[in-house]
Amino acid sequence: MSERKVLNKYFPPDFDPALIPRRKGPKNSQQVVRLMAPFSMRCNTCGEYIYKGKKFNARKETVEGEDYYGIKIFRFYIKCTLCSAEITFKTDPKNTDYAAEHGASRNFEPWREEKAVEEEDRLAKLEEEENNPMKALENRQVDSKREMDILDALQDIRARNARNERMGKSDDLLARSAVEEVEDEEDKARRAEEEEDERLVREVFSKIHVPAPGGSAESSSAVLTVKRKADQLDAMAGGSDSLAAATALSSSVPLQPPAAKKKKPVPAKALGIKLVKKPKAAA
């Protein structure tokens, strides 16, 4: 089954496509296309109705000498489904539609007659106003009333839109104020936590001015950073008690640095020095 579906064709090595003669045909040749009827129509020969969307094998050609601002116009040939009479229609780019040309007529479509009906009504109204002045006055009153109704409706729509816009802005303000309140509460909570941390740090680490030994408290003093433990903090709850406890704690801490260790003398042998004893002098 796969052998008969081969898409590749064999071309001999000496094949030259330039030697193939061009096919000559008429300038405006017709093409066979498959299309659907663009509008409902009735055959002029037998009276058969052809509904919109009926499929046909049609012949298409370009209309010679007709175009719309450079847009080509095409003509289509179809046959009636009952009597096989030829029906032609062509494109109408001006109205973006199709126009029946020969062999059939379009069925009545009211939307295509709206402009003609409106023009007839306008002419009849003008003629009536010329012959009857009272009718002209009534028409002007009706027109003014219609304009006032239109203006009132337009004013209501504008007021409604303005009210909706104000409501939207108020909602935005409420939402923004709620967000700001939440942010303020978060800032307050964060600030309270930071203050609590700073207070705990001040309680744990405190600096005490302790007078140096051998001098007065005013002349010389040393600053001592004391780290308090949790049990000591509980014992130092009061003001005077905390000061006494801090003084007692500072007295137990040595203020002077420990004495440096004496270095041991290096033996002479380690340095490579040989010691020679002097002989004693004779008496």
Side-chain angles (χ1 to χ4, degrees):
M1 293 296 293
S2 61
E3 290 78 4
R4 66 183 183 85
K5 295 182 180 180
V6 176
L7 300 178
N8 297 328
K9 303 297 181 181
Y10 172 74
F11 293 94
D14 56 348
F15 174 75
D16 187 5
L19 300 177
I20 300 176
R22 291 183 176 273
R23 182 170 52 184
K24 294 181 180 181
K27 184 177 181 181
N28 188 14
S29 60
Q30 295 181 352
Q31 300 176 1
V32 178
V33 294
R34 182 75 172 176
L35 56 79
M36 293 186 295
F39 49 82
S40 59
M41 65 187 80
R42 184 183 182 185
C43 179
N44 294 336
T45 304
C46 63
E48 176 70 11
Y49 288 95
I50 301 174
Y51 58 88
K52 181 180 179 179
K54 178 69 175 178
K55 292 184 179 181
F56 292 94
N57 291 325
R59 292 178 288 115
K60 184 185 77 170
E61 68 177 6
T62 305
V63 179
E64 295 292 338
E66 294 185 18
D67 62 349
Y68 179 74
Y69 294 105
I71 300 174
K72 295 182 180 180
I73 297 176
F74 300 98
R75 181 182 289 112
F76 300 92
Y77 297 86
I78 62 174
K79 291 184 178 182
C80 177
T81 57
L82 184 62
C83 64
S84 298
E86 191 174 57
I87 300 172
T88 62
F89 58 89
K90 59 183 180 180
T91 58
D92 186 11
K94 182 178 180 179
N95 300 318
T96 63
D97 200 356
Y98 291 83
E101 188 178 19
H102 175 72
S105 58
R106 297 188 62 159
N107 296 337
F108 176 72
E109 296 176 354
W111 57 87
R112 296 181 61 87
E113 305 295 334
E114 287 181 357
K115 294 182 179 180
V117 172
E118 290 178 359
E119 186 66 19
E120 291 179 0
D121 293 342
R122 188 180 66 82
L123 294 176
K125 185 177 179 181
L126 291 176
E127 185 178 358
E128 186 179 8
E129 290 178 355
E130 290 178 357
N131 299 329
N132 190 355
M134 293 301 296
K135 188 64 176 179
L137 180 60
E138 291 177 0
N139 293 337
R140 284 196 296 269
Q141 289 180 354
V142 171
D143 294 339
S144 62
K145 183 179 180 181
R146 186 185 302 108
E147 291 179 359
M148 292 297 294
D149 294 340
I150 293 172
L151 291 176
D152 292 342
L154 182 60
Q155 188 66 24
D156 294 341
I157 293 172
R158 288 178 179 175
R160 191 183 304 110
N161 293 340
R163 183 167 60 253
N164 294 338
E165 188 176 357
R166 286 196 301 271
M167 291 177 62
K169 288 184 177 179
S170 62
D171 295 341
D172 295 341
L173 290 175
L174 291 175
R176 193 180 299 108
S177 62
V179 172
E180 290 178 356
E181 290 179 359
V182 173
E183 292 179 353
D184 294 341
E185 292 178 358
E186 292 179 355
D187 294 341
K188 290 180 181 179
R190 192 183 302 108
R191 195 178 301 110
E193 292 177 358
E194 292 177 356
E195 292 177 358
E196 183 68 18
D197 295 341
E198 291 179 359
R199 187 180 63 79
L200 291 175
V201 170
R202 284 196 299 270
E203 289 180 357
V204 174
F205 297 95
S206 62
K207 294 182 179 180
I208 304 174
H209 292 272
V210 181
S216 62
E218 298 178 357
S219 61
S220 62
S221 62
V223 179
L224 180 65
T225 301
V226 180
K227 181 178 180 181
R228 303 177 183 179
K229 296 182 180 179
D231 53 354
Q232 293 177 352
L233 292 176
D234 297 337
M236 298 175 185
S240 59
D241 297 340
S242 62
L243 181 60
T247 307
L249 185 62
S250 63
S251 62
S252 63
V253 179
L255 297 178
Q256 295 185 2
K261 295 182 180 179
K262 295 182 179 180
K263 295 183 179 181
K264 295 182 180 181
V266 181
K269 292 182 179 181
L271 300 176
I273 301 174
K274 186 177 182 182
L275 300 177
V276 180
K277 295 182 179 182
K278 294 182 179 181
K280 295 181 179 180

